[in-house]
Amino acid sequence: MDKDNSLDRRNFIKSSAFATAGLFIGGKANASKVNEPKKKSRQPHIIFIMTDQQRGDAFGCVNNSVKTPHIDSIANQGVLFYNGYSSVPSSTPARAGLLTGFSPWNHGLLGYGRMARRYKYEMPRMLRDLGYYTFGIGKMHWYPQKSLHGFNGTLVDESGREEQDGFVSDYRDWFKLNAPGLHPDATGIGFNEHRAGTYKLREDVHPTYWTGQTAVELIENYQLDNPLFLKVSFARPHSPYDPPRRYLDMYKDVDIPAPSIGEWAGEFADFPETPNAAFGDFGKDHAINSRRHYYANITFIDDQVGHIIKALKKKGMYDDAIICFTSDHGDMLGDHNHWRKTYPYEGSARVPFLMKWPEWMAGNVERGTTMTQPVELRDFLPTFLDAAGGDIPDDMDGLSLLSLVRNPRNKWRRYIDLEHATAYSDENYWCALTDGKFKYAWYFRTGKEELFDLINDRNELINLAGRNQSQSELLKWRKAMVEHLRERGESFVKDNKLVIREETLLYGPNFPEDEDLAERQRAAQWKKIHSESYKV
């Protein structure tokens, strides 16, 4: 049974509607950007675990169908941020926000394209400057593909992408060492397909195993006095949906929820049944089968998270560690006849968002609490700076999650902004706002509006935008969108009205200039981002 329509997830998930007095060590007093010197304080290890394309309802805390005891333990020992989002829900722009702490408009990548070579703020560089040993393992999805952005080192799995001459990912070289003559893509399912199948090779050469065990190896070998910042980035459950057979068998008798189909979604049903289709109704059984394999891949990841946690405990690092878990974006999995991501809907834009902190950083929130404030990937960098005793720059858009843990009643943002430049179809070019209670979406090309009541209709079955009883709510959110887009100029807002746009803006004016910008723009135009041949 899907539990995602209720905040009463498990006995350990409690309401956040309380606060007491107290103070986090090395923390800031509230969510404002107070740039004051801090006294040197104890620095926790920071273990940042992320997946690729994991929905915000695809783990055990919020969905009984998914077996994730180790991921759940992070929420049990910390907090679950129920309304966690990815502002630009595809890989590279989501990771740009994660890297920089900026909103989409301020990091400048408004849809799927190449990230800049260097940004004003970069997570590993800023933490290294604060004394951390910084290391990244798994999928980075940067360009060039072995960019460091301040990491002392990286070992990468780029899902087979070869975006520069001579590049081979560390995982694929390791695979050649451990499975000579075999091919890592032997399962035969593409990286954007909605088909599913079991992994055809040994479990211990799967990229999920490599990523988890490489992280364990680093932890076991860690001898430095410096605090560790470790980013572990799994390339699954992003398609291919290819779990080893034993993980799929765990779901043999599990009741898998069928896709949610909104009353507005009929226009997306009748599309050619190509393996990598972004839209289409390919039957309930097909969607459930894909979900079963997808969930099994998440359980495979969860086992590796368990190995990482066990290694931290054995090394004596767990009690001194902040551990965060999230994903770059979600996966529609057939909801509303949509597949993959780049959409404003919950399956695409909402992500897992969990944080555990050391006991000696004890604040005002009981562990196991669910918090409902709207949070986003940009909030992780200021959180880590806060924890490390650094200053959060005044112009950084993200906010420290620790300020909420210190006091849930602290002032927070009213809503989070979401958007994506054209992808998969000309009409799929939009901007949205949500406070976790309502979501408003504006489509730039058509002027279509959507309004969803997320409290009573989390699955977004009913678009309230055209209903008379919802007009006051619609006008409130439309006004908020006007204010949000106003800084972008008259091509977005004119005479206090939203403007229908003919042109897609992929790289905004705040995108860092470098020698590749003109080449990127030419490439984006040639590939037309939304074509089926371009991997998103």
Side-chain angles (χ1 to χ4, degrees):
M1 177 181 178
D2 186 350
K3 300 181 292 180
D4 201 40
N5 286 321
S6 170
L7 285 180
D8 186 16
R9 303 292 169 227
R10 288 184 176 173
N11 290 335
F12 70 75
I13 300 296
K14 307 167 184 77
S15 170
S16 65
F18 63 88
T20 60
L23 184 65
F24 245 77
I25 293 178
K28 294 173 75 173
N30 53 49
S32 64
K33 308 295 179 55
V34 180
N35 193 12
E36 298 177 352
K38 298 181 182 180
K39 294 180 180 179
K40 182 67 175 176
S41 59
R42 189 173 177 182
Q43 291 178 307
H45 301 297
I46 299 173
I47 312 299
F48 184 46
I49 305 172
M50 66 178 295
T51 56
D52 194 321
Q53 203 157 304
Q54 184 174 351
R55 297 164 58 108
D57 62 358
F59 61 106
C61 289
V62 295
N63 185 344
N64 273 336
S65 297
V66 192
K67 303 174 186 293
T68 56
H70 303 295
I71 294 170
D72 294 350
S73 74
I74 300 172
N76 190 16
Q77 296 299 313
V79 295
L80 161 62
F81 294 97
Y82 187 73
N83 292 312
Y85 286 93
S86 171
S87 271
V88 193
S90 65
S91 291
T92 51
R95 291 165 192 266
L98 189 63
L99 178 66
T100 64
F102 278 145
S103 67
W105 186 248
N106 286 332
H107 65 64
L109 187 53
L110 307 180
Y112 186 84
R114 282 182 179 170
M115 289 175 61
R117 291 174 180 266
R118 183 177 173 87
Y119 292 88
K120 180 179 181 180
Y121 304 127
E122 296 177 326
M123 181 184 290
R125 175 163 52 88
M126 297 181 82
L127 290 173
R128 189 183 66 185
D129 290 346
L130 288 168
Y132 280 74
Y133 181 77
T134 59
F135 205 89
I137 296 170
K139 184 174 180 179
M140 301 295 132
H141 212 151
W142 294 338
Y143 184 86
Q145 288 176 274
K146 282 291 284 185
S147 296
L148 293 176
H149 293 289
F151 275 122
N152 289 102
T154 60
L155 293 170
V156 303
D157 169 26
E158 290 294 281
S159 302
R161 290 180 175 84
E162 298 177 8
E163 297 180 353
Q164 55 197 111
D165 290 344
F167 174 80
V168 179
S169 75
D170 299 297
Y171 161 69
R172 298 225 161 194
D173 272 341
W174 174 90
F175 183 93
K176 294 171 188 175
L177 182 68
N178 287 273
L182 300 181
H183 196 284
D185 300 329
T187 303
I189 300 174
F191 283 93
N192 278 315
E193 293 194 17
H194 48 76
R195 295 185 302 146
T198 53
Y199 192 59
K200 301 303 181 186
L201 305 175
R202 304 190 324 260
E203 179 180 313
D204 65 355
V205 295
H206 193 285
T208 292
Y209 182 91
W210 175 84
T211 302
Q213 293 305 305
T214 302
V216 167
E217 187 174 358
L218 183 138
I219 293 166
E220 290 175 342
N221 292 332
Y222 199 72
Q223 302 293 338
L224 297 176
D225 292 332
N226 305 63
L228 172 65
F229 169 59
L230 174 60
K231 178 183 177 183
V232 186
S233 180
F234 292 94
R236 302 292 192 272
H238 188 296
S239 47
Y241 309 136
D242 64 345
R245 168 59 65 179
R246 74 182 180 99
Y247 286 97
L248 185 65
D249 287 346
M250 296 179 187
Y251 287 85
K252 182 178 179 180
D253 299 318
V254 173
D255 183 17
I256 306 297
S260 300
I261 307 297
E263 62 179 16
W264 50 271
E267 64 180 289
F268 300 101
D270 188 16
F271 279 76
E273 192 172 345
T274 55
N276 61 349
F279 307 99
D281 178 2
F282 309 126
K284 177 180 175 181
D285 291 343
H286 176 87
I288 289 176
N289 184 61
S290 294
R291 288 172 177 234
R292 195 179 303 275
H293 287 71
Y294 177 85
Y295 290 168
N297 253 343
I298 293 171
T299 298
F300 188 12
I301 291 168
D302 183 76
D303 270 1
Q304 295 304 315
V305 172
H307 288 304
I308 292 168
I309 291 173
K310 182 178 179 181
L312 290 168
K313 290 180 176 179
K314 185 176 180 181
K315 196 72 175 180
M317 298 170 70
Y318 179 84
D319 290 340
D320 289 325
I322 284 181
I323 302 176
C324 291
F325 182 89
T326 194
S327 190
D328 59 346
H329 52 77
D331 190 326
M332 292 297 289
L333 289 172
D335 279 349
H336 313 303
N337 302 315
H338 286 60
W339 298 87
R340 295 150 72 176
K341 59 276 187 179
T342 78
Y343 315 110
Y345 310 118
E346 293 290 276
S348 167
R350 184 167 162 239
V351 293
F353 218 103
L354 314 176
M355 181 176 70
K356 166 262 177 194
W357 59 92
E359 289 287 347
W360 51 263
M361 292 179 73
N364 307 318
V365 170
E366 184 178 354
R367 295 172 189 269
T369 292
T370 291
M371 306 190 79
T372 58
Q373 292 89 341
V375 297
E376 201 270 333
L377 298 180
R378 74 191 73 168
D379 295 328
F380 282 111
L381 175 52
T383 299
F384 298 159
L385 294 176
D386 190 350
D391 294 322
I392 302 172
D394 291 337
D395 59 343
M396 188 173 284
D397 299 304
L399 303 171
S400 173
L401 302 169
L402 295 181
S403 69
L404 289 177
V405 175
R406 285 191 290 271
N407 185 353
R409 293 179 179 170
N410 270 336
K411 183 178 179 181
W412 197 251
R413 61 174 66 94
R414 290 171 50 211
Y415 50 73
I416 199 68
D417 53 299
L418 317 171
E419 67 181 283
H420 206 285
T422 306
Y424 304 142
S425 73
D426 288 340
E427 293 76 21
N428 187 38
Y429 177 26
W430 54 269
C431 191
L433 304 173
T434 183
D435 60 358
K437 300 173 184 176
F438 280 90
K439 184 190 293 175
Y440 170 82
W442 161 257
Y443 288 80
F444 291 114
R445 284 273 171 79
T446 63
K448 181 176 75 171
E449 295 176 297
E450 292 174 329
L451 180 67
F452 298 107
D453 178 350
L454 298 181
I455 298 297
N456 299 302
D457 180 25
R458 195 82 204 194
N459 294 324
E460 300 169 310
L461 301 177
I462 300 171
N463 179 12
L464 300 174
R467 304 206 170 189
N468 291 334
Q469 66 269 31
S470 302
Q471 289 308 294
S472 61
E473 193 71 33
L474 179 67
L475 290 173
K476 180 181 80 173
W477 284 99
R478 186 187 296 154
K479 181 179 178 181
M481 182 63 76
V482 166
E483 293 307 311
H484 171 64
L485 294 175
R486 191 183 300 280
E487 68 173 318
R488 305 190 184 190
E490 290 192 348
S491 64
F492 286 86
V493 174
K494 188 174 182 179
D495 298 329
N496 284 325
K497 294 182 180 179
L498 299 170
V499 174
I500 294 177
R501 295 176 52 82
E502 295 182 1
E503 301 265 337
T504 293
L505 184 64
L506 175 59
Y507 294 100
N510 295 316
F511 186 82
E513 293 186 12
D514 61 36
E515 64 273 20
D516 283 344
L517 182 55
E519 184 269 332
R520 291 167 195 244
Q521 292 171 330
R522 287 194 297 271
Q525 184 178 20
W526 180 72
K527 293 177 178 179
K528 294 188 181 300
I529 289 298
H530 56 281
S531 68
E532 288 299 330
S533 62
Y534 194 35
K535 291 180 180 179
V536 177

